[in-house]
């Protein structure tokens, strides 16, 4: 082994960090422990029997192409399906506006790859998705956090920050938002706030990266129009994924953007993995064509609603005074705010003693704040374990509450 490895690592390699959540998951494998740590879809949502049929059909009818390399842009039929789906929602796009990625995490890597130089400013929420924060930081982005309220990223604070940066002669490369059931908070941004952020982005000529992995995981309320549709000028880059609505193991995602941006992303992807798996793209396209997607998504959302309702009810029953939490209309997470004197990392150790796990909220804050917050996943565990895990978590919190 090279004995001076650290001396020859690139600057970007040195900026890389292991996923805190993935490392936490290694600690939570005891069978008696109820883990709310991962953002994992329920295995009950996986359409195994339908997939068996579809896989055989793909191999019987299209094996030569399914097992071969595919275009970097992605399988044409799958792209047509996704474009048609978005057009029905109101987006004015065609197949040249969409590229398939190896899940949306690859999209979060490709975007800073083509836009970010070390030291460039990138705006994100406080808190925001850890995978996005890590991807941008790896390319040397200087992350600037904007506080959230009950409606998402605060547009007034965003405006103030943009003015401040402009006075300093600095221009962010993009604003990163998760408007639908934000990870980690579960907040869904109303249209008025989306329009305010779009207006600010136009005023300062800054791109918006709209990360939307949870948009279709909605249990109640009214679907909001995407920021991509509301903008309509090419100022927004929209990310989507099948990981939360179909099969996470397939690692299928996509990027919707102006054709000029897509062209640059194609080149970046060619230098990364050439193409996303042809086989899983063919399977996904066939699955959609057979009409299986919508019915299975409806069943999955109904199941997640029951799980969310059970957890929220348990929180109301068991949590001590001074603890607050979000009650989202969709997505996979609740976000919990503790009394300010409680550090969630200290609570984590006690929670493990109570055989329950979560993700401390500070990992979602680019500025290291959020020490009294934590993220809870309600989709993976059963309804019964959501209730029991909530009781255990409440017991752990009670052990730290000052009377």
């Amino acid at each position: 082994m090279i004995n001076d490895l650290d001396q020859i690592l690139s600057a970007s390699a040195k900026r890389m960090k292991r996923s805190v959540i993935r490392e936490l998951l290694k600690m939570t494998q005891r069978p008696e422990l109820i883990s709310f740590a991962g953002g994992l879809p329920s295995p009950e949502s996986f359409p195994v029997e339908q997939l068996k049929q579809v896989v055989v059909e793909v191999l019987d009818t299209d094996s030569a192409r399914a097992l071969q390399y595919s275009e970097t842009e992605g399988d044409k039929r799958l792209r047509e399906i996704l474009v048609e789906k978005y057009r029905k929602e109101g987006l004015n796009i065609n197949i040249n506006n969409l590229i398939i990625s190896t899940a949306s995490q690859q999209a979060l890597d490709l975007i800073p790859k083509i836009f970010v130089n070390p030291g460039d400013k990138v705006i994100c929420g406080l808190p925001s998705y850890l995978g996005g924060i890590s991807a941008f930081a790896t390319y040397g982005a200087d992350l600037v956090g904007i506080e959230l309220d009950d409606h998402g990223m605060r547009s007034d604070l965003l405006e103030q920050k943009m003015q401040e940066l402009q006075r300093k002669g600095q221009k962010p490369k993009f604003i990163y938002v998760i408007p639908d059931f934000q990870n980690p908070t579960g907040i869904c941004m109303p249209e008025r706030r989306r329009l305010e952020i779009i207006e600010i982005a136009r005023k300062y000529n800054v791109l918006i990266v709209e990360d939307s992995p949870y948009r279709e995981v909605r249990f109640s309320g009214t679907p909001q129009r995407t920021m991509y549709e509301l903008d309509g000028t090419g100022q927004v880059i929209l990310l989507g994924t099948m990981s939360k609505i179909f099969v996470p193991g397939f690692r299928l995602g996509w990027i919707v953007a102006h054709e000029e941006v897509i062209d640059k992303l194609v080149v970046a992807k060619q230098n990364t993995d050439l193409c996303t798996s042809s086989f899983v793209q063919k399977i996904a396209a066939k699955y959609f064509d057979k009409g299986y997607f919508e019915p299975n998504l409806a069943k999955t959302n109904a199941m997640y609603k029951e799980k969310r309702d059970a957890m929220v009810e348990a929180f109301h029953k068991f949590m001590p005074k001074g603890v607050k939490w979000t009650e989202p209309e969709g997505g996979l997470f609740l976000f919990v705010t503790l009394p300010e004197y409680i550090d969630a990392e200290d609570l984590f150790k006690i929670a493990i003693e109570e055989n329950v796990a979560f993700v401390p909220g500070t990992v979602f804050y680019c500025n290291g704040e959020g020490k009294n917050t934590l993220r809870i996943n309600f989709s993976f565990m059963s309804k019964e374990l959501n209730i029991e895990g909530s009781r255990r978590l409440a017991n752990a919190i009670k052990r730290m509450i000052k009377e």
Side-chain angles (χ1 to χ4, degrees), residues 76-92:
K76 183 180 179 183
R77 180 57 192 147
L78 181 57
R79 291 160 68 209
E80 288 173 345
I81 289 167
L82 293 171
V83 166
E84 180 183 0
K85 185 172 175 297
Y86 276 125
R87 288 181 69 89
K88 287 180 179 177
E89 291 185 24
L91 276 66
N92 181 23

Side-chain angles (χ1 to χ4, degrees), residues 99-130:
I99 180 175
I100 301 295
S101 59
T102 304
S104 58
Q105 190 60 44
Q106 183 183 56
L108 290 170
D109 179 78
L110 293 177
I111 287 170
K113 191 172 188 175
I114 68 170
F115 286 119
V116 172
N117 293 311
D120 284 345
K121 305 293 184 183
V122 168
I123 305 288
C124 65
L126 287 174
S128 195
Y129 172 51
L130 175 60

